Amino acid sequence: MDFVSVIMGSKSDWSVMSECIEIFKKFDVAYEVIISSAHRSPERTKEYVKDAQSRGAQVFIGAAGMAAHLAGAIASQTCRPVIGVPLSGGAMDGLDALLSTVQMPSSMPVATVSIGKAGAINAAYLAMQILSLKNDELAGKLIEDRVMKAKKVELDSAEIEVRI
């Protein structure tokens, strides 16, 4: 079974990354969640990525703050798409994590989303867009979601709109 693997660097990341999981639940997308650190448990990270890939992980999401090497460590172990979610909490309130996540060497790509909650949500959507390349049902759900969001903007505007 195809699924998305979400790896967080520490338990404190759950308060943000739970937003990602809620999106997967809403769209009925299979996922796994674990805590593993690029620095504190590098062997666990390596072994998990290899195992998850062999069991059907199609996309990996790595969420970490500060030095934020987790997504890069994941990318070093797989050729599957990796999405990095930089998290706030360091001395630079997430900018350090953003720069660490986005600055990968050539041939080791990590798709990097925004810092924090918006990044967690965007990582879920990006992972689902990747999965939808081979899943027409999911592609349809994503299109329907976009239509509903556009309608909500129009409804919200109608409540306050003033035109001359």
Side-chain angles (χ1 to χ4, degrees):
M1 169 177 49
D2 291 351
F3 67 93
V4 179
S5 170
V6 179
I7 307 171
M8 300 175 290
S10 69
K11 188 176 180 181
S12 64
D13 301 335
W14 178 245
S15 62
V16 172
M17 293 309 295
S18 62
E19 300 285 341
C20 177
I21 301 310
E22 289 305 313
I23 300 296
F24 291 143
K25 288 178 181 177
K26 176 182 172 185
F27 283 85
D28 198 27
V29 170
Y31 64 90
E32 287 187 353
V33 180
I34 72 159
I35 297 170
S36 193
S37 170
H39 301 110
R40 294 183 298 265
S41 59
E43 285 304 311
R44 173 179 165 79
T45 303
K46 177 180 175 180
E47 290 169 12
Y48 172 75
V49 170
K50 296 293 184 185
D51 176 62
Q53 182 173 297
S54 74
R55 293 182 293 106
Q58 298 300 304
V59 182
F60 290 88
I61 297 174
M66 299 170 65
H69 293 146
L70 183 56
I74 295 166
S76 74
Q77 300 301 317
T78 184
C79 289
R80 301 275 165 88
V82 177
I83 303 167
V85 181
L87 300 174
S88 59
M92 299 175 71
D93 200 31
L95 183 59
D96 46 355
L98 174 64
L99 294 173
S100 293
T101 305
V102 79
Q103 294 187 46
M104 292 296 297
S106 61
S107 77
M108 266 315 130
V110 168
T112 306
V113 293
S114 56
I115 299 167
K117 178 181 173 180
I121 292 168
N122 283 341
Y125 274 95
L126 181 54
M128 291 187 306
Q129 288 175 338
I130 293 167
L131 292 176
S132 76
L133 293 171
K134 293 183 182 178
N135 183 330
D136 291 338
E137 181 182 347
L138 181 57
K141 288 179 181 179
L142 288 168
I143 290 167
E144 184 179 312
D145 184 65
R146 289 263 176 114
V147 169
M148 295 305 296
K149 284 187 167 92
K151 285 180 182 177
K152 183 175 180 338
V153 169
E154 291 176 21
L155 290 172
D156 288 349
S157 181
E159 290 180 14
I160 64 167
E161 202 169 282
V162 176
R163 292 187 184 205
I164 297 180

